[in-house]
Amino acid sequence: MTQAKEFKDVTGQNNNHKDHQGEVEMLRVVACIDGSRAAPAVCDYAAWASKHMETPMTLLHVLDEERYPTEPDLAGSIGLGSREQLMDELAELDRKRSKLALEHGHHMLDEAERRVKEQGTGDVIKRQRHGDLTESLLALESQTRLLVMGLHGESSSDRDIHVGSQLETVIRSVHRPILLVPDEYEQPKSAMLAFDGSATAFKGVELLAGSPVLKEMPIHLVMIGADTNDRWEQLKKAEKMLGDLGSDITLAIRAGDVEPTLHAYQEEHDIDILVMGAYGHSRIRQFLVGSTTTTMLKTAKKPLVILR
C-alpha cells in the first residue's frame, strides 16, 4: 500500500489538529460525503450518531485519483499519429477536471456542514483528500469511533440501483464499526443483532458492548435454529455482556432459513438497525457479493451496522 497522502481541510490546512496542550483530538464519527443520492442521508445519520454517541464529527470527501489525477499520465497514449500539442491539451483538460472536481467537493462539504449543524451537531471538521478511499479511511482509523457510508454508489439511479463499489474493500480493511445507510433517513429507535452462539458471534457482542453506538437503545438478540436449553444459555450470556449499555434486551430463537427468517423478524418487530459481525474475508464476500444479499443491499430501506 502506498503511503497515505496528507489530508486537507477546505482552506488548504493540513489535518494535524491538536488542542492547546498538543494532545491529539478525540475519536470522531467520520461521514463519507460524495455525489451519490445517499449523501443527504449520510449527513443525517451521522448527525444522529454524533449526538447519540456524544462524539464530534468529521465530514470527509475523497476525490478518486484514478478518475481525477492531479498529474495526468498520458505515456500509454503515445503511439502512431500522436501529436505533442494534443497530448499537452489533453493533460491540461484533465488538470482542469481535477480542479473543478475538488471545488465541487468543497461545496459539497460546505453544504454537508450546514445540514448537520442545522440538526444540532456542533463540533464538525471538514476534510478533503485526493486519493484512494480505503487508504484515506485507514489513515483516519485511529481517530474514528464510527464510520458512516451510503449503501448505494454514485452511479445509482431510480431505475438502476448499485451497491457502493468500494464497500467490500472498506469493510474488509477498516477495523471500526461501520454504519451503512439507505437513501432516506429515519431516526433509529431499535436494533437487532443476528447471533449464532459462535466464538465470533460473542466477539460481536463484546464489540457492541464496548461501543456507544447503540447505548440505551432496545436491542433484539436473535438466533436461528432449534429451540434448545443450550441456545437459551448462550443468549443469556450475551445479554449479560450487554448489561452496561443500559438497553432493554429481547432474546429470541426462530426456526427457518437464516436470511429470510431474520428479515421476517426485523419486519415483524419494526426494527430499525440490523447489526452484523464481519470477521473473515469469506463471510464478508458472501455478504456483499452473494446474489441474495446483494439484492437485499440494493433494496435496503433501513441501516446496517457492521462490527469489526
Side-chain angles (χ1 to χ4, degrees):
M1 183 175 293
T2 59
Q3 184 174 359
K5 295 184 179 181
E6 184 181 73
F7 287 89
K8 303 283 186 179
D9 69 15
V10 295
T11 60
Q13 300 296 318
N14 66 36
N15 75 313
N16 297 317
H17 291 287
K18 299 182 179 180
D19 63 20
H20 64 281
Q21 294 179 328
E23 298 293 334
V24 177
E25 59 191 357
M26 64 187 297
L27 294 175
R28 309 181 75 86
V29 172
V30 176
C32 291
I33 305 301
D34 58 16
S36 71
R37 52 194 279 156
V42 169
C43 293
D44 296 343
Y45 277 106
W48 166 81
S50 177
K51 290 184 290 183
H52 181 73
M53 300 168 67
E54 298 178 343
T55 301
M57 186 192 304
T58 294
L59 295 167
L60 174 66
H61 174 250
V62 178
L63 194 65
D64 188 344
E65 192 170 30
E66 289 190 5
R67 291 179 61 190
Y68 302 100
T70 51
E71 284 299 327
D73 180 7
L74 299 178
S77 302
I78 302 300
L80 294 176
S82 296
R83 296 291 185 270
E84 184 176 351
Q85 180 182 351
L86 292 177
M87 294 297 100
D88 290 343
E89 289 178 2
L90 286 171
E92 183 60 27
L93 283 173
D94 277 347
R95 292 188 190 96
K96 288 180 178 179
R97 287 179 68 248
S98 294
K99 182 179 179 181
L100 289 172
L102 284 169
E103 290 178 359
H104 180 54
H106 292 170
H107 292 308
M108 285 195 294
L109 286 169
D110 289 342
E111 178 62 21
E113 181 184 37
R114 181 197 63 77
R115 189 179 184 101
V116 299
K117 285 190 172 181
E118 282 182 353
Q119 299 178 52
T121 305
D123 188 346
V124 181
I125 291 176
K126 294 177 288 184
R127 293 281 179 268
Q128 188 175 58
R129 185 176 188 263
H130 208 141
D132 177 78
L133 175 61
T134 302
E135 286 184 18
S136 301
L137 294 173
L138 286 172
L140 286 175
E141 188 175 57
S142 64
Q143 305 168 34
T144 302
R145 171 162 281 171
L146 175 72
L147 173 62
V148 184
M149 297 180 65
L151 275 165
H152 305 141
E154 290 185 272
S155 60
S156 289
S157 65
D158 290 332
R159 291 181 297 178
D160 190 13
I161 297 176
H162 298 283
V163 175
S165 61
Q166 301 185 80
L167 274 184
E168 182 184 2
T169 303
V170 169
I171 293 173
R172 292 170 68 169
S173 303
V174 178
H175 289 74
R176 289 291 183 270
I178 304 173
L179 175 60
L180 300 177
V181 306
D183 296 347
E184 301 295 331
Y185 172 74
E186 187 174 325
Q187 181 174 334
K189 296 183 176 65
S190 58
M192 175 178 111
L193 175 64
F195 181 78
D196 64 7
S198 65
T200 53
F202 275 108
K203 180 181 177 182
V205 173
E206 184 180 0
L207 289 170
L208 192 59
S211 170
V213 65
L214 300 180
K215 68 175 184 178
E216 300 178 359
M217 183 182 294
I219 300 173
H220 293 245
L221 291 179
V222 184
M223 293 187 76
I224 306 301
D227 189 331
T228 65
N229 289 334
D230 286 345
R231 284 192 167 92
W232 281 111
E233 289 303 315
Q234 290 173 330
L235 282 171
K236 290 174 184 177
K237 179 180 177 181
E239 178 185 25
K240 186 175 181 180
M241 291 171 65
L242 297 175
D244 290 342
L245 287 180
S247 299
D248 181 14
I249 309 292
T250 299
L251 308 180
I253 297 177
R254 292 288 186 270
D257 294 331
V258 174
E259 187 174 328
T261 305
L262 286 173
H263 290 315
Y265 185 95
Q266 184 176 14
E267 291 181 10
E268 176 187 348
H269 295 274
D270 193 25
I271 296 171
D272 298 309
I273 296 178
L274 174 60
V275 184
M276 302 185 69
Y279 311 106
H281 289 191
S282 60
R283 292 188 65 176
I284 281 298
R285 187 161 187 81
Q286 181 181 5
F287 170 64
L288 287 172
V289 302
S291 59
T292 303
T293 47
T294 297
T295 300
M296 183 272 289
L297 286 175
K298 285 183 178 180
T299 59
K301 296 181 179 179
K302 294 189 176 182
L304 301 93
V305 170
I306 307 297
L307 296 174
R308 286 284 288 169

